[in-house]
Amino acid sequence: MAKQYETVIGLEVHVELATKTKIFCGCSTAFGGEPNTHTCPVCTGMPGSLPVLNKQVLEYAVAVGLATNCQISRYCKFDRKNYFYPDNPQNYQISQLYLPICRNGKVEIETENGKKFIGIHEIHMEEDAGKLIHDEWEDCSLVDYNRSGVPLIEIVSEPDMRSAEEVIAYLEKLRMLIQYLGASDCKLQEGSMRADVNLSVREVGAEEFGTRTEMKNLNSFRAIARAIEGERERQIDLLEEGKKVVQETRRWDDGKGESYAMRSKEDAQDYRYFPDPDLVPIVLDDAFLEKVRAQQPEFREEKMRRYQEEFDIPAYDIEIITGSKHMADIFEATVALGSQPKKVSNWLMGETLRLLKENGQDPEDIRFSPEHLAKLISLVDSKAINGSVAKEVFEQMFAKDVDPEKYVEEKGLKTVNDEGALRKTVEEVIANNPQSVEDYQNGKEKAIGFLVGQTMKAMKGKADPGMVNQLLRELLTK
Amino acid sequence: MELLDMTAVSLAAAIRKKEVTAVEATEAVLSQIEKSEDKYHCYVTVDREGALAKAREIQKKIEAGFEGPLAGVPVAIKDNLCTEGLPTTCSSKILENFVPTFSAQAVLNLQNAGAVILGKTNMDEFAMGSTTETSAFGVTRNPWNPEHVPGGSSGGSAAAVAAKECFYALGSDTGGSIRQPASFCGVVGLKPTYGTVSRYGLVAYGSSLDQIGPLCKDVADCAAIMEIIASHDLKDSTSMKRDDTDFTKALKEDVKGMRIGLPRDYFGEGLDPEVKEAVLKAAEALRDRGALVEEFDLSLVEYAIPTYYTIAAAEASSNLERFDGIKYGYRTENYEGLHNMYKKSRSEGFGPEVKRRIMLGSFVLSSGYYDAYYLKALRVKALIKKAFDEAFAKYDVILGPVAPTTAPKLGESLSDPLKMYLGDIYTISINLAGLPGLSMPCGMDSKGLPIGLQLIGDCFQEKKLIRTAYTYEKARGVFGGKGEEIYGKAI
């Protein structure tokens, strides 16, 4: 009988923090500036420059630590990780090795076998590197230091995961917590959340861990799941052939669906870590921790419970809406403006999700404001526009956050509520469609639908279909 | 009195009284540079035009009512302090063409106070050395005897003050680099308490030990300069907020009841008898003025050198990584690929002493040796600090020599680096403990070279040092012999 293998997985997750400025200088962290425009002597490693810690980074790191049930170090330090590479202007990265800010945490995930805790070994703060651009035409490399010094936290899990599903559940949980904290937008594609997978296999029942590899370049949940499956199979094949797994770093090529070795443990660099003498030790007092604790938001589980009590919307809607802090914020703000929860939920669950899917976007990408959604709902409620016009307006809102009132006004989309004008059109439709009229009068209920459609068409959509229906019946039964 | 013999404070007063202008003072010192620079080579860069333009600007401001204790006085800056628009080389080939985009905070403080910057002074490459001989741009000679070194690493600054090629200078001190050259050149130098002067813009050697400080003609100048350069700087995380930086208030001729300790280990084997005699004579002079002087045992003195060279080299090996030929500074001409470019640029750009310390530092930080060397050194550092804490429970000031000998001859030191490192024995533990230390002349040896006296204080006790030094300066009277070219000789 074939041997049964168990996969053992631990994750190193890098999260880019949503601070306005960099970790050790006042430069902007905004995306998309011209190369080397968000830079200063500090983040370009000029001689004589010195780092000063951005306090917001510390607050975010502690907030994530508290949300993941970590012990917060009352005394921590930054260390230098020394290695030569041009994306790293000082040729050392300021990180934390010896005394990280958070330790010994855990998060709960849902698995097919029920709830499970994944241990957090540590969370540390560090700076991001710049970006190298290899110009093949000119045969040279250029460096852009705009990202150099952008704050990161690295969340190192214990090797507690046993499948790709657990890994995804853990990542989704982390993403949810961090998004709820507002500490990061956690977008894998854009690199604001990056995961390295440490994976080994062992025979079921074995006590010892197998030799692990580290997989890099995973920028979607799908890539992570595929890389885990691929690596598990690769390692099992090696063991089945009587070969050994080599401890190494591998790069996942999602296009080819395979990984290749980047460097083995033997080539591993000696980073010569030591405490950065330019930064003083950080001592956290009770007041600081209390302040961060007091700022902790309502997390998803609490929010779901509250929605169940406060709003009359289906459990499924609650799950989807609270699945994104951003979407939940829009929901609550729109309801606070007086819109009926069920109607708000319908717009989010229906048109919003449809358009997000069409555009390949996440709920975090929703750009319309709660004010505009509330206005749209109120336009429908007051029958100023009908349902199909509302969808058209919503698409504009979704794309450009237009003000629905103004848009309806400018495009002349308001429903004609003047009964005189409507009656005239209905009478014309009746006169022009004798066959349908006859059908209806002979008991074919469906014919009324055709007549409503004809009337709406003649009114260029600007009529309330309910009212048209009523008027038709009234005139036809005379 | 000759203009060039004036101290910085007296020159500033003369400028205020319109007896002389900042422009005249600058012209005088520039012509002195022209006259004697070939002989001593104190400077790496002299900014003649910039200095004159600045002097004219300051003079106008002064006439319009601008006031500053040292306004209009020309100053020289050690070449490891960044100066916007003016080359900052650290006396290294690797930074030969480097022009900073910003100025060090200490330099800005001087400029805001109306200083006229003359240029950048020669130093040991990246401040690594005790003789200014490791400079990539040639040695600086001791004005008292050009066959001898001026000390280091701030040798250019000390020699420039002694040779009257500036009225005062800034230096940096990681293990004695202000105090030892001050001693060798017969001038006053102060290494402040760690964190007193911002390190922002000082090209780092040993970040946890580096401090900027003055080299100057007398103790009153020292206090006045310190008042200007000391500042709490948010750009430097290790900068301290102090509300006791009114150092000139301590210029009092009074040591009555002051408890002065002489560490026996500072007067033992290896100390030149002439140096010992002069330093003990200075202690006697203070005792005569009412100080309580006694000997005591300061432990761990012999561990200071290995501890210092472990920590300073470790920090330096990392601090100097940024010099890689990528962003600025020297890049080798021919290379194949990135790794080869790093290797060749750094091999060609750094001198032997810098390479020695980078290798030493990389070794003590490497995996498997970190605990045995670097971590152990940090523990010894803490013990040294504790030994000083105990000493300062009993004494206000510790008094001793600055260096075991007077200035050695050119070429004598580099051949035996270990011996050169031993020359730092009395100065480095002060950096390890973060303490302030003041060096001032207390006599001459039979070769006609100055001997230095070192006063060491507890953290933040610069005022006690200044008071003691000022009192001793009055007791000592005129320093030096006869001559015209050197400050001190003519007075």
Side-chain angles (χ1 to χ4, degrees), chain A residues 61-93:
Chain A
V62 170
V64 174
L66 290 172
T68 51
N69 309 298
C70 285
Q71 291 166 3
I72 310 297
S73 309
R74 296 306 187 95
Y75 181 88
C76 77
K77 280 184 184 178
F78 280 99
D79 301 299
R80 291 187 188 173
K81 178 181 182 179
N82 298 285
Y83 66 96
F84 279 83
Y85 204 64
D87 64 1
N88 173 7
Q90 308 153 121
N91 286 320
Y92 57 80
Q93 179 197 30

Short mmCIF file of all heavy atoms in Angstrom, two decimals, chain A residues 61-93:
data_model
loop_
_atom_site.label_atom_id
_atom_site.label_comp_id
_atom_site.label_asym_id
_atom_site.label_seq_id
_atom_site.Cartn_x
_atom_site.Cartn_y
_atom_site.Cartn_z
N ALA A 61 1.66 48.01 13.95
CA ALA A 61 2.24 46.69 14.27
C ALA A 61 1.64 46.16 15.57
O ALA A 61 1.28 44.98 15.67
CB ALA A 61 3.76 46.80 14.37
N VAL A 62 1.51 47.03 16.56
CA VAL A 62 0.93 46.61 17.84
C VAL A 62 -0.55 46.26 17.65
O VAL A 62 -1.04 45.26 18.20
CB VAL A 62 1.11 47.71 18.91
CG1 VAL A 62 0.29 47.40 20.16
CG2 VAL A 62 2.58 47.87 19.27
N ALA A 63 -1.25 47.04 16.83
CA ALA A 63 -2.68 46.76 16.58
C ALA A 63 -2.85 45.39 15.95
O ALA A 63 -3.73 44.60 16.35
CB ALA A 63 -3.28 47.85 15.68
N VAL A 64 -1.99 45.06 14.97
CA VAL A 64 -2.09 43.73 14.33
C VAL A 64 -1.73 42.65 15.36
O VAL A 64 -2.37 41.60 15.42
CB VAL A 64 -1.17 43.65 13.08
CG1 VAL A 64 -1.16 42.23 12.51
CG2 VAL A 64 -1.63 44.65 12.01
N GLY A 65 -0.72 42.94 16.18
CA GLY A 65 -0.33 41.99 17.22
C GLY A 65 -1.47 41.71 18.20
O GLY A 65 -1.73 40.56 18.56
N LEU A 66 -2.16 42.76 18.61
CA LEU A 66 -3.28 42.57 19.53
C LEU A 66 -4.42 41.80 18.86
O LEU A 66 -5.03 40.91 19.46
CB LEU A 66 -3.80 43.93 20.02
CG LEU A 66 -2.88 44.71 20.98
CD1 LEU A 66 -3.43 46.11 21.23
CD2 LEU A 66 -2.70 43.97 22.30
N ALA A 67 -4.66 42.10 17.59
CA ALA A 67 -5.75 41.43 16.86
C ALA A 67 -5.44 39.96 16.61
O ALA A 67 -6.34 39.17 16.35
CB ALA A 67 -6.01 42.15 15.54
N THR A 68 -4.15 39.59 16.66
CA THR A 68 -3.77 38.19 16.44
C THR A 68 -3.33 37.54 17.75
O THR A 68 -2.59 36.56 17.75
CB THR A 68 -2.66 38.08 15.38
OG1 THR A 68 -1.59 38.96 15.74
CG2 THR A 68 -3.14 38.46 14.00
N ASN A 69 -3.78 38.13 18.84
CA ASN A 69 -3.57 37.55 20.18
C ASN A 69 -2.09 37.35 20.55
O ASN A 69 -1.73 36.39 21.22
CB ASN A 69 -4.29 36.20 20.30
CG ASN A 69 -5.73 36.31 19.88
OD1 ASN A 69 -6.50 37.05 20.51
ND2 ASN A 69 -6.11 35.66 18.80
N CYS A 70 -1.25 38.26 20.08
CA CYS A 70 0.18 38.14 20.36
C CYS A 70 0.53 38.77 21.71
O CYS A 70 -0.19 39.63 22.22
CB CYS A 70 0.99 38.88 19.30
SG CYS A 70 1.10 38.03 17.73
N GLN A 71 1.69 38.35 22.23
CA GLN A 71 2.29 39.08 23.34
C GLN A 71 3.03 40.27 22.72
O GLN A 71 3.79 40.09 21.78
CB GLN A 71 3.31 38.21 24.06
CG GLN A 71 2.70 37.06 24.83
CD GLN A 71 3.73 36.05 25.24
OE1 GLN A 71 4.93 36.22 25.01
NE2 GLN A 71 3.27 34.98 25.86
N ILE A 72 2.80 41.45 23.26
CA ILE A 72 3.47 42.64 22.73
C ILE A 72 4.74 42.86 23.55
O ILE A 72 4.68 42.91 24.78
CB ILE A 72 2.56 43.88 22.83
CG1 ILE A 72 1.17 43.60 22.24
CG2 ILE A 72 3.23 45.08 22.17
CD1 ILE A 72 1.15 43.27 20.77
N SER A 73 5.88 42.98 22.88
CA SER A 73 7.14 43.18 23.60
C SER A 73 7.17 44.59 24.17
O SER A 73 6.99 45.55 23.43
CB SER A 73 8.32 43.00 22.66
OG SER A 73 8.21 41.79 21.97
N ARG A 74 7.41 44.68 25.46
CA ARG A 74 7.49 46.01 26.07
C ARG A 74 8.82 46.68 25.74
O ARG A 74 8.99 47.87 25.94
CB ARG A 74 7.32 45.91 27.59
CG ARG A 74 5.97 45.39 28.03
CD ARG A 74 4.86 46.22 27.39
NE ARG A 74 3.56 45.86 27.93
CZ ARG A 74 2.99 46.51 28.94
NH1 ARG A 74 3.59 47.55 29.49
NH2 ARG A 74 1.82 46.12 29.38
N TYR A 75 9.79 45.88 25.31
CA TYR A 75 11.12 46.40 24.98
C TYR A 75 11.53 45.74 23.68
O TYR A 75 11.65 44.51 23.63
CB TYR A 75 12.09 46.05 26.11
CG TYR A 75 13.50 46.53 25.92
CD1 TYR A 75 13.89 47.80 26.36
CD2 TYR A 75 14.47 45.73 25.32
CE1 TYR A 75 15.18 48.25 26.20
CE2 TYR A 75 15.77 46.17 25.16
CZ TYR A 75 16.12 47.43 25.60
OH TYR A 75 17.41 47.88 25.44
N CYS A 76 11.64 46.50 22.62
CA CYS A 76 12.10 45.87 21.37
C CYS A 76 13.08 46.76 20.66
O CYS A 76 13.25 47.94 21.01
CB CYS A 76 10.92 45.48 20.48
SG CYS A 76 10.14 46.81 19.59
N LYS A 77 13.77 46.18 19.68
CA LYS A 77 14.85 46.88 18.99
C LYS A 77 14.78 46.61 17.51
O LYS A 77 14.19 45.62 17.08
CB LYS A 77 16.21 46.35 19.48
CG LYS A 77 16.68 46.89 20.80
CD LYS A 77 18.07 46.36 21.08
CE LYS A 77 18.56 46.80 22.44
NZ LYS A 77 19.87 46.25 22.74
N PHE A 78 15.43 47.47 16.74
CA PHE A 78 15.62 47.22 15.32
C PHE A 78 17.02 46.67 15.09
O PHE A 78 17.96 47.07 15.78
CB PHE A 78 15.44 48.50 14.51
CG PHE A 78 14.00 48.85 14.28
CD1 PHE A 78 13.36 49.81 15.07
CD2 PHE A 78 13.29 48.23 13.28
CE1 PHE A 78 12.03 50.12 14.86
CE2 PHE A 78 11.96 48.54 13.06
CZ PHE A 78 11.32 49.49 13.85
N ASP A 79 17.13 45.77 14.13
CA ASP A 79 18.43 45.20 13.79
C ASP A 79 18.72 45.47 12.32
O ASP A 79 17.80 45.68 11.53
CB ASP A 79 18.41 43.68 14.02
CG ASP A 79 18.10 43.33 15.46
OD1 ASP A 79 18.88 43.75 16.33
OD2 ASP A 79 17.07 42.69 15.72
N ARG A 80 20.00 45.45 12.00
CA ARG A 80 20.38 45.59 10.60
C ARG A 80 20.62 44.21 10.00
O ARG A 80 21.32 43.41 10.59
CB ARG A 80 21.66 46.41 10.47
CG ARG A 80 21.50 47.87 10.82
CD ARG A 80 22.77 48.61 10.48
NE ARG A 80 22.76 49.97 10.96
CZ ARG A 80 23.81 50.78 10.90
NH1 ARG A 80 24.96 50.32 10.40
NH2 ARG A 80 23.73 52.01 11.34
N LYS A 81 20.03 44.00 8.82
CA LYS A 81 20.27 42.79 8.06
C LYS A 81 21.15 43.20 6.88
O LYS A 81 20.72 43.95 6.00
CB LYS A 81 18.92 42.25 7.57
CG LYS A 81 18.98 41.01 6.71
CD LYS A 81 17.57 40.62 6.28
CE LYS A 81 17.58 39.34 5.46
NZ LYS A 81 16.22 38.96 5.06
N ASN A 82 22.39 42.76 6.91
CA ASN A 82 23.38 43.25 5.94
C ASN A 82 23.44 42.36 4.71
O ASN A 82 23.67 41.16 4.82
CB ASN A 82 24.77 43.28 6.60
CG ASN A 82 24.81 44.24 7.78
OD1 ASN A 82 24.83 45.44 7.61
ND2 ASN A 82 24.80 43.70 8.99
N TYR A 83 23.21 42.94 3.56
CA TYR A 83 23.43 42.23 2.29
C TYR A 83 23.54 43.25 1.18
O TYR A 83 22.90 44.29 1.23
CB TYR A 83 22.32 41.21 1.99
CG TYR A 83 20.96 41.82 1.73
CD1 TYR A 83 20.52 42.05 0.43
CD2 TYR A 83 20.12 42.17 2.79
CE1 TYR A 83 19.28 42.63 0.20
CE2 TYR A 83 18.88 42.74 2.55
CZ TYR A 83 18.46 42.96 1.26
OH TYR A 83 17.24 43.53 1.02
N PHE A 84 24.36 42.94 0.21
CA PHE A 84 24.60 43.88 -0.89
C PHE A 84 23.62 43.61 -2.03
O PHE A 84 23.59 42.52 -2.58
CB PHE A 84 26.03 43.74 -1.42
CG PHE A 84 27.04 44.47 -0.57
CD1 PHE A 84 27.55 43.89 0.57
CD2 PHE A 84 27.47 45.74 -0.93
CE1 PHE A 84 28.48 44.57 1.35
CE2 PHE A 84 28.39 46.42 -0.16
CZ PHE A 84 28.90 45.83 0.98
N TYR A 85 22.84 44.60 -2.36
CA TYR A 85 22.02 44.55 -3.56
C TYR A 85 21.57 45.97 -3.86
O TYR A 85 21.24 46.72 -2.94
CB TYR A 85 20.80 43.61 -3.38
CG TYR A 85 20.29 43.11 -4.72
CD1 TYR A 85 21.11 42.31 -5.51
CD2 TYR A 85 19.04 43.47 -5.19
CE1 TYR A 85 20.68 41.88 -6.76
CE2 TYR A 85 18.61 43.04 -6.45
CZ TYR A 85 19.43 42.25 -7.23
OH TYR A 85 19.00 41.84 -8.46
N PRO A 86 21.56 46.35 -5.13
CA PRO A 86 21.33 47.77 -5.45
C PRO A 86 19.95 48.30 -5.09
O PRO A 86 19.77 49.52 -5.03
CB PRO A 86 21.55 47.84 -6.97
CG PRO A 86 22.31 46.62 -7.31
CD PRO A 86 21.92 45.57 -6.33
N ASP A 87 18.96 47.41 -4.87
CA ASP A 87 17.63 47.94 -4.51
C ASP A 87 17.61 48.40 -3.05
O ASP A 87 16.63 48.96 -2.57
CB ASP A 87 16.52 46.90 -4.77
CG ASP A 87 16.63 45.65 -3.92
OD1 ASP A 87 17.56 45.57 -3.10
OD2 ASP A 87 15.79 44.76 -4.10
N ASN A 88 18.69 48.15 -2.36
CA ASN A 88 18.79 48.40 -0.93
C ASN A 88 19.90 49.45 -0.74
O ASN A 88 21.07 49.12 -0.72
CB ASN A 88 19.14 47.04 -0.31
CG ASN A 88 19.45 47.09 1.14
OD1 ASN A 88 19.30 48.11 1.79
ND2 ASN A 88 19.91 45.98 1.65
N PRO A 89 19.53 50.74 -0.66
CA PRO A 89 20.53 51.80 -0.81
C PRO A 89 21.64 51.79 0.26
O PRO A 89 22.75 52.22 -0.02
CB PRO A 89 19.71 53.09 -0.73
CG PRO A 89 18.43 52.71 -0.09
CD PRO A 89 18.18 51.27 -0.45
N GLN A 90 21.33 51.30 1.46
CA GLN A 90 22.37 51.28 2.50
C GLN A 90 23.16 49.99 2.47
O GLN A 90 24.14 49.83 3.18
CB GLN A 90 21.72 51.39 3.89
CG GLN A 90 20.77 52.55 4.01
CD GLN A 90 19.69 52.32 5.05
OE1 GLN A 90 19.57 53.09 5.98
NE2 GLN A 90 18.90 51.27 4.91
N ASN A 91 22.65 49.04 1.68
CA ASN A 91 23.17 47.67 1.68
C ASN A 91 22.95 46.97 3.01
O ASN A 91 23.60 45.97 3.32
CB ASN A 91 24.63 47.61 1.21
CG ASN A 91 24.72 47.83 -0.29
OD1 ASN A 91 23.90 47.32 -1.05
ND2 ASN A 91 25.68 48.61 -0.73
N TYR A 92 22.05 47.50 3.80
CA TYR A 92 21.48 46.73 4.90
C TYR A 92 20.01 47.13 5.02
O TYR A 92 19.64 48.26 4.68
CB TYR A 92 22.21 46.94 6.23
CG TYR A 92 22.31 48.37 6.73
CD1 TYR A 92 21.24 48.98 7.39
CD2 TYR A 92 23.48 49.11 6.58
CE1 TYR A 92 21.34 50.28 7.85
CE2 TYR A 92 23.58 50.41 7.05
CZ TYR A 92 22.51 50.99 7.68
OH TYR A 92 22.60 52.27 8.14
N GLN A 93 19.20 46.16 5.42
CA GLN A 93 17.78 46.43 5.62
C GLN A 93 17.56 46.58 7.11
O GLN A 93 18.07 45.75 7.90
CB GLN A 93 16.96 45.26 5.07
CG GLN A 93 15.45 45.46 5.27
CD GLN A 93 14.66 44.17 5.11
OE1 GLN A 93 15.17 43.09 5.40
NE2 GLN A 93 13.42 44.28 4.66
#
